[in-house]
Amino acid sequence: MYLKRTISGLLTLLCLISVVYAQQTIKGTVYRKISSERLSQVLVTNLHTKAIMMSDELGGFTIKATIGDTLVFDKNEYTPQRQIVTGYDMVVYMQPEIQLGGVTIKGQTKKQELNEIMSDYRKQGTFYNGKPPALSFLTSPLTGIYELFGKTPGRAKKFAQYTKMELEATEVDRRYNKSFVKRVTGLNDSTVVKFMQYYRPTYDDLKLWNDYDLINHIKSQLEYYRKNGEQADKLEKLY
C-alpha cells in the first residue's frame, strides 16, 4: 500500500512539473536602448527549441518558450541581445552598434518617394490615376474623358500599377530576407542566395501567413530543394 502511494505521489509530482515547465506563448516588445523607439524586424530565437520569430512593425513578438529558456534578439546594426525568460511578458532593449568615422543619412522611404511622384502627376491635372469613377462623367464630363484617354493619366495609371508592385515587393522583402532565411534554414551565404532565388513567397501568401506559417513553408521548400539538389530550381515549386 505504501509503495502504491509513493508511486502515485511521484506520478502526480511529475505531472505537476510537466505542467509548470510546459511551453507557453511568451509575448514581448523590443525597444531601442534608452529610447521609446520600437524595433521591427528583430529576429527572435529560442536557443533551447530553435524556434524563430520576427518582431512586427510595433516591435511586438510572440514565441513558444519555457521559463528559463534563453532568447536571442538579432537585428542589423544592433548588438545581439540574450535574455532569459523569467515571465510571460518581456521588455527587451537593444543597443545600436557604434560606427566610427561614418555618417548615416536616412533618406525618404520608398513609399514616400513613390507617393511624391504620384503627387506630381496630380499637380499635372490627373486625380484618379487613369481610373476615373463613373460618377466623374456626370459631375465633370471633360475631366472624366481626360482621365480616361489623356497621356498624363495613362502614365499615372501605369505608374500606380508599378507603385503597387514595388510596395508589395518591399513588404515581401521585409519578412522574407536573407538574415531570416539563414536563421530558419542554417544555410551558408552562397547556398541561401540560391535557395531564395528558387523559392520566394508572394505578397498574397504573406497576407494570409503568420511567422509560424512562413517558417513551415520555408522548411517544406528547403526539404524539397535538398532532395532535388541542383535540379530544384528547374522543378515546380511546392505550395
Side-chain angles (χ1 to χ4, degrees), residues 163-215:
T163 297
K164 180 176 181 292
M165 290 189 295
E166 282 294 298
L167 293 179
E168 288 180 354
T170 299
E171 177 61 18
V172 173
D173 291 337
R174 184 188 72 80
R175 293 184 60 192
Y176 186 78
N177 55 67
K178 187 176 177 181
S179 297
F180 182 68
V181 177
K182 280 183 68 176
R183 185 69 64 84
V184 173
T185 63
L187 298 175
N188 58 36
D189 285 338
S190 60
T191 307
V192 80
V193 169
K194 293 180 181 178
F195 173 71
M196 291 181 70
Q197 290 172 343
Y198 157 71
Y199 173 66
R200 177 180 170 85
T202 67
Y203 174 76
D204 289 334
D205 287 335
L206 293 182
K207 283 197 302 184
L208 302 175
W209 297 347
N210 57 31
D211 286 340
Y212 283 117
D213 295 327
L214 177 57
I215 289 169

Side-chain angles (χ1 to χ4, degrees), residues 85-218:
V85 178
T86 57
Y88 299 117
D89 291 296
M90 299 181 67
V91 177
V92 180
Y93 294 95
M94 296 190 69
Q95 174 69 50
E97 292 180 347
I98 299 175
Q99 298 180 354
L100 300 177
V103 178
T104 301
I105 301 176
K106 292 187 177 180
Q108 292 178 305
T109 65
K110 180 177 289 187
K111 186 174 182 179
Q112 289 172 327
E113 291 175 351
L114 295 173
N115 286 340
E116 188 173 293
I117 295 173
M118 287 305 304
S119 177
D120 288 338
Y121 276 114
R122 293 188 180 93
K123 290 176 183 178
Q124 296 176 48
T126 179
F127 303 98
Y128 304 113
N129 302 336
K131 293 182 179 180
L135 188 61
S136 67
F137 288 94
L138 298 176
T139 57
S140 181
L142 290 178
T143 298
I145 292 171
Y146 173 69
E147 286 285 339
L148 195 59
F149 299 108
K151 289 184 179 180
T152 298
R155 289 194 293 267
K157 180 180 178 181
K158 290 180 180 179
F159 187 77
Q161 293 170 343
Y162 167 77
T163 297
K164 180 176 181 292
M165 290 189 295
E166 282 294 298
L167 293 179
E168 288 180 354
T170 299
E171 177 61 18
V172 173
D173 291 337
R174 184 188 72 80
R175 293 184 60 192
Y176 186 78
N177 55 67
K178 187 176 177 181
S179 297
F180 182 68
V181 177
K182 280 183 68 176
R183 185 69 64 84
V184 173
T185 63
L187 298 175
N188 58 36
D189 285 338
S190 60
T191 307
V192 80
V193 169
K194 293 180 181 178
F195 173 71
M196 291 181 70
Q197 290 172 343
Y198 157 71
Y199 173 66
R200 177 180 170 85
T202 67
Y203 174 76
D204 289 334
D205 287 335
L206 293 182
K207 283 197 302 184
L208 302 175
W209 297 347
N210 57 31
D211 286 340
Y212 283 117
D213 295 327
L214 177 57
I215 289 169
N216 288 334
H217 278 81
I218 291 174

Side-chain angles (χ1 to χ4, degrees), residues 40-44 52-57 60-62 173-177 179-181 211 214-215:
S40 64
Q41 292 184 269
V42 177
L43 288 177
V44 186
I52 302 169
M53 295 298 288
M54 182 183 289
S55 65
D56 60 24
E57 291 296 321
F61 69 90
T62 60
D173 291 337
R174 184 188 72 80
R175 293 184 60 192
Y176 186 78
N177 55 67
S179 297
F180 182 68
V181 177
D211 286 340
L214 177 57
I215 289 169

Side-chain angles (χ1 to χ4, degrees), residues 45-59:
T45 305
N46 185 329
L47 292 182
H48 177 65
T49 64
K50 307 305 180 186
I52 302 169
M53 295 298 288
M54 182 183 289
S55 65
D56 60 24
E57 291 296 321
L58 298 177

Side-chain angles (χ1 to χ4, degrees), residues 30-39 77-78 92-97 106:
V30 187
Y31 294 89
R32 178 188 175 99
K33 195 168 185 179
I34 317 177
S35 167
S36 60
E37 177 186 350
R38 300 187 179 204
L39 300 181
E77 300 182 359
Y78 285 81
V92 180
Y93 294 95
M94 296 190 69
Q95 174 69 50
E97 292 180 347
K106 292 187 177 180

